[in-house]
Amino acid sequence: MKNIPMLINGEWIYGDAEALLDVGNPSTGEIIAQISNATQAHVEEAVRSARRAFESDEWRQWKAFERGQLLIDFAHYIRQHAEEWSLLECRDVGKPLTQARADIEAAARYFEFYGGAADKVMGDTIPIEDGLLNAVVLEPVGITVHIVPWNYPIQITARSVAAAIATGNAVIVKSAEDTPLTTHAITEWLAEKLPKGIFQHITGLGRDVGPYLTSHPDINHITFTGSVPTGVAVMKAAAENVVPVTLELGGKSPNIVFADANIEQALEGVVRAIIQNSGQTCSAGARLLIEESIKDTFLPQLIQKFQAIQVGPGEADMDMGPLLNERQYIKITTLLQQAKKDGYVITGGEPLTMEGYENGFYVQPTILDGVQPNDPLAQEEIFGPVLTVLTFTRVEEAITLANSTDYGLVAGVWSQNIDTAHYVASRVQAGQVFINNYGAAGGIQMPFGGYKKSGIGREKGFVALRNYTQMKNIAIRYAPPIQR
């Protein structure tokens, strides 16, 4: 069994063999690796190393285009090892191989995109008066901490790490305890290419290791993806040291289907939006808002598509894989048992046992109907393949329902009427709105983040580079040359 080490100060650090944490394969329930639970001393050493590396002449002498070329080279390397890495992500997270392959390609694209941007992060000049040259320069923020969730480990590691290195920062990544494999693969490559201390990888339980990082006084920026309560805790810890944060904290995103929509396209979009990664996706389309006049024709077709979804182990590459772990499985199955008692389940709702994979964590994709808009099932993030149906009769009612939760991450609008589509998009409180599609194939270039409790700041695209820079104004007084 592989013992995955941490990378601290350029050294591979193996923890106490008596205190290793197991990493399981959700499809089989078997233990596939073990990791260390980092201590406060590990974090202190990582931060000291990052500070030395960031302030070193060695790192200052790396040109922006050289940082960019490194990231582009890494993108090529990832693609060369795409199948191997896809298997790692599949076994670690449980997602079907096709989805894992898409995640690996997305990671390559992040490194490629930010590699190309590295020497294009430019400042400006501001006209003040004759004899004064005023320049605005963008400098790296310093030491950046990246706390990565378990549902999309390689994508979320790549999108923030690539932007941080492109802009010249020192990076400390804390991978999720359940899914460290592809982050370790990234670490192995970067460890050979970067000065020691510029990229470091720490493992362990989030509840133990996270506070050491988020409260450290020598950290300069924190990016975190996860739950609202943990995000609040991260923000409070960062506030003690006046450290900026980028938070992506989930959603309860609606797909709004109008009567004039292309029904087949809408059906496919609604299904994909909730079953991807078994619904364990912050941007999952977890609510269907359907115009009442077409509910009786739309819903039977949707049920039929749900019942046709093939569920199985990730490596079998079916439509949907297992839930991540026993904790997730118990949470979701308990919720579904209560929903069945309350009469809300119209399809699915049962745990599944796969022959040969009896220790995996499988559930049926599920549709709930009859839930009130203010019910927790329609308000709170379930993080499983569970779709809640609500109806509307007027456009304004659809908008009110879409905005009725504490979240505002993503929304889908399905209508062939351009006025309706744009009107709704302009009034839905969400960081991304998709019209007649949902998700846009990952959208590496598209700013991603939320309104309300879905978070603060934006990842992806050029705008994310600003997370990892700080602005400095330099005013230079000059005078006419002395005549000789």
Side-chain angles (χ1 to χ4, degrees):
M1 184 182 302
K2 186 171 185 178
N3 182 347
I4 296 176
M6 298 182 287
L7 180 68
I8 299 176
N9 193 26
E11 303 292 332
W12 295 111
I13 306 298
Y14 294 86
D16 183 354
E18 300 300 318
L20 295 177
L21 305 173
D22 291 336
V23 176
N25 180 338
S27 295
T28 64
E30 71 172 315
I31 304 305
I32 55 176
Q34 291 183 310
I35 59 171
S36 301
N37 197 25
T39 65
Q40 186 170 9
H42 288 134
V43 171
E44 291 289 344
E45 177 58 23
V47 175
R48 283 194 297 269
S49 174
R51 180 58 61 192
R52 285 194 301 269
F54 175 70
E55 295 179 353
S56 69
D57 289 339
E58 181 185 11
W59 185 233
R60 287 179 178 273
Q61 288 167 6
W62 275 61
K63 299 178 179 66
F65 85 87
E66 292 173 332
R67 298 195 301 266
Q69 188 58 57
L70 174 84
L71 299 178
I72 292 169
D73 290 346
F74 192 22
H76 294 326
Y77 178 88
I78 291 171
R79 290 193 175 105
Q80 289 169 356
H81 295 81
E83 194 61 19
E84 173 191 344
W85 284 32
S86 297
L87 282 167
L88 285 178
E89 195 81 339
C90 169
R91 292 167 181 164
D92 213 11
V93 187
K95 61 183 61 179
L97 261 175
T98 295
Q99 293 179 30
R101 290 179 183 125
D103 288 356
I104 301 307
E105 173 58 20
R109 289 182 62 203
Y110 279 121
F111 284 107
E112 192 171 59
F113 179 85
Y114 288 115
D119 59 354
K120 301 169 187 67
V121 180
M122 301 177 186
D124 209 346
T125 59
I126 301 173
I128 305 294
E129 61 185 55
D130 186 40
L132 190 67
L133 174 62
N134 194 84
V136 176
V137 297
L138 299 177
E139 298 183 342
V141 71
I143 302 174
T144 63
V145 166
H146 308 243
I147 301 177
V148 178
W150 50 258
N151 56 344
Y152 288 87
I154 193 165
Q155 275 213 54
I156 294 176
T157 299
R159 78 184 185 192
S160 61
V161 166
I165 292 176
T167 45
N169 295 280
V171 170
I172 301 173
V173 175
K174 159 63 178 73
S175 58
E177 56 263 32
D178 291 292
T179 56
L181 299 185
T182 47
T183 302
H184 176 64
I186 287 173
T187 304
E188 288 184 306
W189 194 88
L190 291 177
E192 297 296 320
K193 309 294 182 181
L194 290 168
K196 70 176 185 179
I198 289 299
F199 181 89
Q200 299 178 90
H201 177 205
I202 288 176
T203 61
L205 295 171
R207 65 173 181 268
D208 294 341
V209 184
Y212 298 145
L213 287 164
T214 57
S215 64
H216 200 288
D218 203 24
I219 295 299
N220 302 117
H221 179 269
I222 301 166
T223 180
F224 169 81
T225 301
S227 70
V228 171
T230 306
V232 170
V234 168
M235 195 171 181
K236 285 181 177 179
E240 291 292 328
N241 296 310
V242 196
V243 170
V245 296
T246 304
L247 303 177
E248 196 261 279
L249 305 179
K252 191 72 171 178
S253 299
N255 263 307
I256 309 168
V257 180
F258 288 90
D260 67 346
N262 180 312
I263 297 302
E264 189 56 36
Q265 287 182 359
L267 285 165
E268 290 296 325
V270 169
V271 171
R272 287 197 307 271
I274 189 59
I275 70 165
Q276 185 180 11
N277 201 25
S278 301
Q280 300 169 125
T281 304
C282 53
S283 56
R287 291 184 297 153
L288 168 61
L289 312 186
I290 182 80
E291 191 163 359
E292 192 167 34
S293 64
I294 62 166
K295 179 182 178 182
D296 288 344
T297 57
F298 189 90
L299 212 51
Q301 295 178 73
L302 187 64
I303 291 170
Q304 187 176 19
K305 287 187 177 292
F306 264 59
Q307 292 174 345
I309 291 167
Q310 293 185 308
V311 182
E315 289 183 65
D317 202 20
M318 295 182 178
D319 299 316
M320 195 178 91
L323 299 171
L324 178 76
N325 55 27
E326 186 177 21
R327 183 175 63 253
Q328 274 289 101
Y329 179 79
I330 291 172
K331 171 192 166 186
I332 300 299
T333 53
T334 300
L335 180 149
L336 292 178
Q337 286 172 5
Q338 185 60 51
K340 288 197 76 170
K341 290 179 182 177
D342 293 336
Y344 296 141
V345 175
I346 59 173
T347 190
E350 296 290 342
L352 291 172
T353 300
M354 298 291 162
E355 186 176 352
Y357 299 90
E358 287 80 6
N359 293 322
F361 305 109
Y362 301 93
V363 296
Q364 292 177 327
T366 301
I367 302 175
L368 307 180
D369 191 21
V371 176
Q372 294 300 307
N374 61 351
D375 190 289
L377 292 170
Q379 290 286 318
E380 298 174 5
E381 191 172 40
I382 294 173
F383 228 59
V386 182
L387 178 67
T388 302
V389 179
L390 302 167
T391 60
F392 64 90
T393 56
R394 296 175 294 104
V395 171
E396 294 297 341
E397 186 182 4
I399 294 167
T400 298
L401 282 171
N403 295 335
S404 66
T405 75
D406 288 336
Y407 297 104
L409 191 57
V410 177
V413 181
W414 302 85
S415 172
Q416 296 185 80
N417 184 311
I418 192 170
D419 291 328
T420 298
H422 280 283
Y423 181 81
V424 173
S426 72
R427 283 159 173 74
V428 169
Q429 298 167 358
Q432 287 188 334
V433 180
F434 296 98
I435 296 174
N436 297 325
N437 71 109
Y438 196 96
I444 304 303
Q445 308 94 322
M446 300 160 51
F448 179 67
Y451 285 40
K452 300 184 286 186
K453 288 186 178 180
S454 283
I456 294 173
R458 294 294 182 267
E459 300 278 10
K460 303 187 180 183
F462 282 112
V463 69
L465 293 164
R466 290 300 182 98
N467 296 335
Y468 305 103
T469 62
Q470 54 189 341
M471 188 178 293
K472 178 181 287 183
N473 193 92
I474 302 174
I476 306 165
R477 175 69 69 185
Y478 62 92
I482 297 172
Q483 301 296 322
R484 297 186 184 277

